[in-house]
Amino acid sequence: MTLKIISAQEVVFEGEVSSVTLPGTMGAFTVLHNHASLVSTLSAGEIIYTVGGDRRQHAIGGGLADVDNNIVSVCLY
């Protein structure tokens, strides 16, 4: 699946991942391949994602996430 992490200033990350864990305002949640479509607000925390077996993380202050058709788009505040 494709993960896109975008801020007002830059594209922080765009690439293929096997999983992504997001800090939702109602609690953290993990997105895997073929996840159901959803839109969620994000609170301050860390986005944790797996690229080719490597675990990466990115601290955020909040944002929005959209999951649809194996594309996870994260817009950061």
Side-chain angles (χ1 to χ4, degrees):
M1 97 188 121
T2 302
L3 171 62
K4 299 176 184 179
I5 304 173
I6 303 164
S7 73
Q9 295 80 23
E10 65 180 324
V11 175
V12 176
F13 176 84
E14 183 171 359
E16 292 298 310
V17 300
S18 55
S19 70
V20 58
T21 300
L22 300 162
T25 53
M26 304 271 306
F29 61 96
T30 300
V31 178
L32 301 172
H33 186 72
N34 289 331
H35 195 284
S37 296
L38 67 85
V39 175
S40 176
T41 54
L42 303 176
S43 59
E46 290 192 339
I47 299 173
I48 301 168
Y49 52 100
T50 306
V51 179
D54 293 330
R55 184 176 177 223
R56 300 182 188 180
Q57 52 193 45
H58 182 77
I60 65 168
L64 298 169
D66 176 70
V67 178
D68 192 39
N69 291 325
N70 289 314
I71 298 174
V72 180
S73 301
V74 178
C75 297
L76 304 177
Y77 295 148

